[in-house]
């Protein structure tokens, strides 16, 4: 993971619920959003369900620095949530993580 030129880090995380666990994953994500928004360095933390694809979710996060993102991920709260999340999603957590690198086209 690398920080953007102005320091902040943007993360997109896609998750697909296991069959029959769609409502459980939505409730799980809903409960995790507010505490994550309150973590030091959080700029944005937004959860979305993909329209027309029930059980497919996208979380958009921005953090002031990579160190603050890593502190968020290493927090005891997050470490406790990982096994619960793995019970609800298809694949691994890492499969859905994408880091964004902003760029501006030349004038």
């Amino acid at each position: 993971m690398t920080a953007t030129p102005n320091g902040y880090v943007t993360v997109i995380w896609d998750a697909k619920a296991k069959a029959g666990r769609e409502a459980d994953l939505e409730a799980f994500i809903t409960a995790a959003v507010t505490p994550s928004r309150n973590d030091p360095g959080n700029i944005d933390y937004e959860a979305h369900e993909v329209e027309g694809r029930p059980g497919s979710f996208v979380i958009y996060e921005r953090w002031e620095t990579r160190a603050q993102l890593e502190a968020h991920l290493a927090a005891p709260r997050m470490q406790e949530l990982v096994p619960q999340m793995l019970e609800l999603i298809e694949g691994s957590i890492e499969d859905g993580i994408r880091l964004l690198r902003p760029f501006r086209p030349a004038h």
Side-chain angles (χ1 to χ4, degrees):
M1 291 188 260
T2 58
T4 61
N6 63 351
Y8 70 85
V9 179
T10 303
V11 180
I12 301 287
W13 181 61
D14 296 294
K16 175 79 174 128
K18 289 181 179 176
R21 304 298 306 266
E22 297 84 358
D24 296 331
L25 182 56
E26 183 173 4
F28 178 88
I29 291 171
T30 299
V33 167
T34 298
S36 293
R37 285 179 178 159
N38 292 322
D39 282 347
N42 181 258
I43 299 169
D44 292 307
Y45 200 101
E46 300 295 333
H48 308 271
E49 185 172 25
V50 179
E51 190 170 327
R53 292 176 40 200
S56 292
F57 299 92
V58 175
I59 295 182
Y60 172 86
E61 308 173 39
R62 281 193 316 153
W63 297 88
E64 291 176 8
T65 66
R66 179 178 174 172
Q68 289 170 318
L69 168 62
E70 290 175 358
H72 159 74
L73 295 173
R77 175 185 89 253
M78 296 302 290
Q79 296 305 306
E80 291 173 11
L81 294 177
V82 168
Q84 298 169 36
M85 190 181 312
L86 290 172
E87 300 255 336
L88 301 173
I89 65 170
E90 292 182 1
S92 72
I93 295 168
E94 293 80 13
D95 289 343
I97 294 175
R98 291 179 285 152
L99 295 170
L100 304 182
R101 180 186 53 82
F103 65 94
R104 294 187 183 265
H107 293 3

